[in-house]
Amino acid sequence: MQKQRELNQSQLDLLHTLYRFRFATRSLLAEYLNKPNNTSLYSKLSILEKRGLVGSLYEKSYKLAGREAEYYVTPKGVRTLRDSSTMELSDTDIQASYKDKRMSDWFVQQVVLLFAFRNMLIKAYPTLQYFTSRDIQKLDYFPSRKPTAFLSLKTDDKVRRFFLEYIPMQTSTTIIKAKLRRYSHYFDEDAWGVTNTDFPFILFVCDDGMTEQGVRWHIKRELFKSDTDIQYYTTTRKALLTSLPGNPAIWSSIEDDDALYSLAEL
């Protein structure tokens, strides 16, 4: 039996990126890697898939909807990342990866959307560092229920840090209120204090304007009840995906509904 060749660094980088974001399309990966979305990238993904390191989700309905195939890292791929010392991964991480091929279509689309958020934010802020929930999973000074993403933006005068949360349409008020209570509790515990940096701003990206208004109402109630100094800002999915990078002032503070800010102004 012929032994398979070890992956080269380019293939490992692609596998690593895919694991970090959990699900991705070829277009999103091309943007992230700053490479053309061409046959070369397709070939790399195909090779990884043939070797059983990557899986893909695709149905006939995708073509009609103008939707690309979504790729994910298989348990074999996760073991490869660990064995190559690309990432520190545990047996638990490998076991968790078995769920990916069975995740709901709704969940997959939400995760892919988050990758699109990341790419658009980087276009607006080239110095921005974007960390996925998997990137920060093992850092115990973060909230136990990890945020959607963690952002760090270095400007001339300071480094600004953000917890980012995405709220899909029709998210129940129970979920929203519980999320806000956890942030209040986390703030009071001062777990972030070990970093010796300012507590991060919390950004909520809401599916639409109606969802945003509901989230803002619940934030105001939570701030009143908890009496914390957490600074929340909100925007909509449409504003993030269509306004950036030309107009980065899309974030609205809880104190002032009318004023809009860019991340660099917070």
Side-chain angles (χ1 to χ4, degrees):
M1 183 176 179
Q2 186 177 3
K3 185 178 179 180
Q4 285 189 332
R5 295 172 58 186
E6 291 186 2
L7 298 185
N8 59 38
Q9 192 58 51
S10 177
Q11 290 170 319
L12 285 171
D13 289 345
L14 181 55
L15 200 62
H16 181 206
T17 299
L18 191 52
Y19 178 79
R20 288 182 58 222
F21 289 90
R22 194 164 182 177
F23 292 96
T25 65
R26 202 173 84 190
S27 294
L28 290 171
L29 288 167
E31 277 190 298
Y32 177 90
L33 297 167
N34 198 25
K35 294 182 180 296
N37 182 11
N38 56 18
T39 54
S40 175
L41 182 56
Y42 176 76
S43 177
K44 288 179 181 178
L45 286 167
S46 296
I47 289 171
L48 293 175
E49 190 168 8
K50 287 176 182 176
R51 293 181 64 168
L53 306 177
V54 162
S56 63
L57 304 172
Y58 188 81
E59 298 178 5
K60 291 181 179 179
S61 60
Y62 280 27
K63 186 173 183 180
L64 187 61
R67 180 173 166 184
E68 296 181 69
E70 294 108 3
Y71 296 90
Y72 61 93
V73 181
T74 65
K76 182 180 178 181
V78 179
R79 283 192 291 270
T80 299
L81 286 170
R82 181 182 66 178
D83 295 345
S84 66
S85 299
T86 301
M87 300 181 70
E88 290 186 13
L89 295 164
S90 65
D91 290 339
T92 302
D93 295 323
I94 295 171
Q95 288 298 318
S97 67
Y98 280 93
K99 300 177 182 177
D100 285 348
K101 67 178 180 180
R102 300 191 299 272
M103 298 307 294
S104 70
D105 183 66
W106 179 87
F107 179 85
V108 172
Q109 289 193 67
Q110 298 304 316
V111 174
V112 169
L113 178 62
L114 297 177
F115 202 158
F117 287 171
R118 177 267 170 204
N119 287 351
M120 193 60 70
L121 285 164
I122 294 297
K123 286 180 182 178
Y125 307 98
T127 62
L128 182 74
Q129 292 181 288
Y130 184 104
F131 302 90
T132 70
S133 58
R134 280 184 165 178
D135 291 329
I136 60 176
Q137 191 61 44
K138 294 179 173 61
L139 300 177
D140 57 10
Y141 55 85
F142 277 84
S144 57
R145 190 78 64 89
K146 297 298 183 285
T148 300
F150 173 66
L151 317 179
S152 178
L153 178 63
K154 185 176 182 179
T155 59
D156 292 338
D157 60 333
K158 63 188 291 187
V159 176
R160 295 167 172 82
R161 297 173 178 86
F162 312 89
F163 294 143
L164 184 143
E165 297 283 359
Y166 173 58
I167 306 297
M169 193 184 305
Q170 297 180 336
T171 299
S172 73
T173 57
T174 301
I175 291 174
I176 295 170
K177 290 192 290 185
K179 190 182 293 289
L180 293 169
R181 283 196 301 269
R182 285 195 296 269
Y183 272 120
S184 296
H185 181 65
Y186 173 70
F187 181 90
D188 289 335
E189 282 186 323
D190 195 30
W192 186 261
V194 301
T195 68
N196 292 316
T197 62
D198 293 338
F199 191 83
F201 300 99
I202 301 180
L203 309 174
F204 276 88
V205 181
C206 304
D207 217 17
D208 59 8
M210 185 174 294
T211 303
E212 183 183 18
Q213 289 306 310
V215 167
R216 291 175 67 82
W217 187 82
H218 287 297
I219 290 174
K220 290 175 183 177
R221 282 181 57 87
E222 180 60 28
L223 285 172
F224 177 78
K225 289 190 296 182
S226 64
D227 192 29
T228 64
D229 295 328
I230 299 175
Q231 295 188 59
Y232 291 96
Y233 292 84
T234 66
T235 192
T236 63
R237 174 178 67 169
K238 181 179 179 181
L240 197 158
L241 293 178
T242 62
S243 298
L244 293 176
N247 177 22
I250 64 170
W251 302 96
S252 176
S253 75
I254 299 304
E255 291 76 19
D256 187 351
D257 291 358
D258 297 323
L260 295 175
Y261 303 90
S262 69
L263 294 184
E265 293 173 321
L266 301 186

